[in-house]
Amino acid sequence: MTHQPAIPTLTAADPEIAGLVEDEARRQAEKIRLIASENYVSQAVLEATGTVLTNKYSEGYAGKRYYEGQQVIDQIERIAIDRAKAVFGVDHANVQPYSGSPANLAAYLAFANPGDTVLGMSLPAGGHLTHGAGVSATGKWFNAVHYGVRKETGRVDFDQVRDLAKEHRPKLIIAGGTAIPRTIDFPAFAEIAREVDAVLVADIAHIAGLIAGGAHPSPVGHANVITTTTHKTLRGPRGAMIMTDAEHAKAIDKAVFPGLQGGPHNHTTAAIAVALAEAAKPEFRDYAHQIVANAKALGDALIERGFDLVSGGTDNHLLLVDLTSKQIGGKPAAQALDRAGIELNFNAVPFDPRKPFDPSGIRIGTAAITTRGLTAEHQPRIAEWIDRTVAAAAKEDEDAIGAIAGEVRELLSAYPIPGYRA
Ligand SMILES: *Cc1c(COP(=O)(O)O)cnc(C)c1O
């Protein structure tokens, strides 16, 4: 048994599931995790998610619940809210959204009606499904208009944002996305939102930890509403928060409950509180800056090996690599990299001529490898592995790929993860 915390009772009661949990713990330890939306939570966060708090129903908010027995839960939720307010410097926080997608839905529900116009970043440019993509409820139920990036720079085209905003007068403008390697210019979005009287929603799901640690500018004071997941760079449990200025607080609370959800997941709320206490520590500032330093070092090393980075580099935790010049698609590359012990995802690049399920790029993030202690000096080695794997995949050389997996395991054995003991 190697999962931490140990799971002896689960192993006795349900060996099939326990065995798979152990397998996943080992897999997470032995692979180099470059999935930009993933991280490793601390043992304290893991323990909080596995508590009896999961047994409790608490529809409503602290002090006005629809179930009795909230003496303890109210305290936990208030602590989580206070910590969110302190870490991000906001007037108001709602810690109940089940995940990032429902958090965004709550913002729509609060400030738009079905059929209203919303303006978000397009999926191929780096936006999220919930920013009005056609396959998403947000694209089906709202009139979604999309901005993108400039072809030459790979950066948001603010002339286009302004033109679209003036033409379509959206109720909501959404700033942020899932595959944006550059600093998000919240003041520029805020200026446009003010011009057209739209509510500005900053979706900081990817960069919340960088903002908490001072490694990315904050949207506070610019965005009316800030949505975020808690499980990406912020390094908390799977969950979400919505933060607002005082003016927009009530509408968001009503949208989350009773508008969209029933009872909050109290074990998650407790784990969010734990993660926020970790994010308030000075070490977390070092962590956030190290994530960015690692991404820059990895980007430089990849460029040296002839890889094309969208926008030419990174300001944050994320790299978007266009593999066109390497004569391999994103999907076969990502699959070969997984066999080489390097876990990431295939991703569309802006103006991608290929289909979303077989796009031209891969997305890389450094939040998880930074948690396990890798630094800038390790990045040339990772770039070398990526380069060798991509070349081996093009030649269908499985032996070479297997050899890289061994080298990856060897390096990582010196950098344990919370949640697993070898
Ligand atoms: C991850 C992400 C979400 C959605 O979060 P889920 O928890 O997967 O629902 C929303 N917006 C952005 C920008 C994201 O990166």
Side-chain angles (χ1 to χ4, degrees):
M1 284 194 292
T2 42
H3 186 276
Q4 302 296 317
I7 51 170
T9 315
L10 178 60
T11 304
D14 192 335
E16 189 178 12
I17 289 295
L20 291 170
V21 172
E22 296 287 359
D23 288 351
E24 174 63 10
R26 185 176 346 101
R27 194 196 65 78
Q28 291 191 13
E30 289 184 351
K31 280 196 176 156
I32 197 153
R33 169 168 277 190
L34 295 178
I35 294 181
S37 49
E38 292 183 352
N39 211 328
Y40 300 104
V41 300
S42 70
Q43 177 104 2
V45 168
L46 277 180
E47 288 180 9
T49 60
T51 57
V52 296
L53 300 175
T54 195
N55 297 337
K56 186 66 194 135
Y57 243 105
S58 56
E59 283 182 356
Y61 293 102
K64 33 184 192 307
R65 305 279 190 185
Y66 290 79
Y67 292 76
E68 297 313 312
Q70 309 298 341
Q71 295 82 357
V72 178
I73 298 298
D74 276 4
Q75 296 181 60
I76 290 171
E77 190 169 320
R78 284 195 173 113
I79 290 170
I81 289 168
D82 287 345
R83 290 180 183 175
K85 286 162 70 174
V87 166
F88 289 95
V90 289
D91 296 336
H92 179 76
N94 185 311
V95 295
Q96 294 193 4
Y98 298 142
S99 212
S101 301
N104 282 345
L105 271 183
Y108 285 84
L109 184 61
F111 303 111
N113 287 310
D116 280 349
T117 299
V118 297
L119 177 59
M121 194 178 216
S122 73
L123 206 54
H128 189 258
L129 284 164
T130 56
H131 299 177
V135 293
S136 152
T138 58
K140 292 181 195 289
W141 295 344
F142 298 92
N143 173 39
V145 180
H146 288 113
Y147 60 87
V149 293
R150 287 185 194 276
K151 201 161 191 169
E152 321 80 68
T153 62
R155 295 170 190 245
V156 171
D157 182 346
F158 279 102
D159 294 334
Q160 184 196 24
V161 177
R162 177 174 278 102
D163 289 349
L164 289 171
K166 286 193 161 155
E167 184 185 342
H168 297 281
R169 312 291 301 187
K171 285 272 178 62
L172 295 183
I173 297 178
I174 304 170
T178 58
I180 303 174
R182 293 297 182 175
T183 299
I184 299 172
D185 188 346
F186 296 116
F189 277 106
E191 191 183 310
I192 294 169
R194 267 196 306 274
E195 284 172 35
V196 299
D197 203 21
V199 173
L200 179 60
V201 179
D203 179 351
I204 61 166
H206 261 265
I207 53 174
L210 303 183
I211 292 169
H216 186 292
S218 170
V220 176
H222 307 293
N224 309 110
V225 176
I226 301 166
T227 62
T228 186
T229 56
T230 47
H231 47 272
K232 297 178 184 175
T233 53
L234 191 56
R235 209 163 61 180
R238 299 200 88 82
M241 308 191 293
I242 308 178
M243 298 174 279
T244 70
D245 53 28
E247 184 190 341
H248 296 80
K250 212 169 175 178
I252 283 292
D253 282 353
K254 271 176 65 184
V256 174
F257 177 85
L260 205 60
Q261 299 189 166
H265 295 178
N266 297 308
H267 54 304
T268 299
T269 306
I272 289 173
V274 173
L276 286 167
E278 292 173 359
K281 289 186 178 158
E283 300 92 277
F284 197 87
R285 293 188 79 79
D286 300 339
Y287 168 62
H289 286 91
Q290 189 64 49
I291 292 173
V292 177
N294 284 354
K296 285 183 191 292
L298 182 54
D300 289 346
L302 286 168
I303 288 169
E304 228 164 81
R305 289 177 172 275
F307 285 89
D308 286 333
L309 304 190
V310 171
S311 83
T314 181
D315 300 325
N316 55 29
H317 65 303
L318 189 146
L319 302 161
L320 199 52
V321 185
D322 185 342
L323 292 172
T324 307
S325 66
K326 295 283 180 180
Q327 275 142 16
I328 187 167
K331 192 176 184 180
Q335 289 172 338
L337 285 159
D338 192 51
R339 295 199 296 281
I342 300 163
E343 186 186 10
L344 45 68
N345 63 283
F346 61 82
N347 214 99
V349 298
F351 308 99
D352 202 325
R354 298 167 67 113
K355 296 243 156 45
F357 202 63
D358 184 22
S360 299
I362 50 175
R363 189 183 68 159
I364 295 176
T366 52
I369 59 169
T370 306
T371 293
R372 69 191 297 174
L374 299 190
T375 59
E377 67 173 348
H378 298 104
Q379 306 309 318
R381 189 92 198 275
I382 297 173
E384 181 205 317
W385 285 329
I386 292 172
D387 196 14
R388 278 166 56 202
T389 305
V390 165
K395 288 186 293 192
E396 295 181 25
D397 182 351
E398 283 304 317
D399 289 346
I401 292 173
I404 294 164
E407 293 172 32
V408 169
R409 267 200 306 278
E410 194 190 317
L411 173 77
L412 293 182
S413 63
Y415 297 90
I417 63 165
Y420 179 81
R421 191 179 300 149

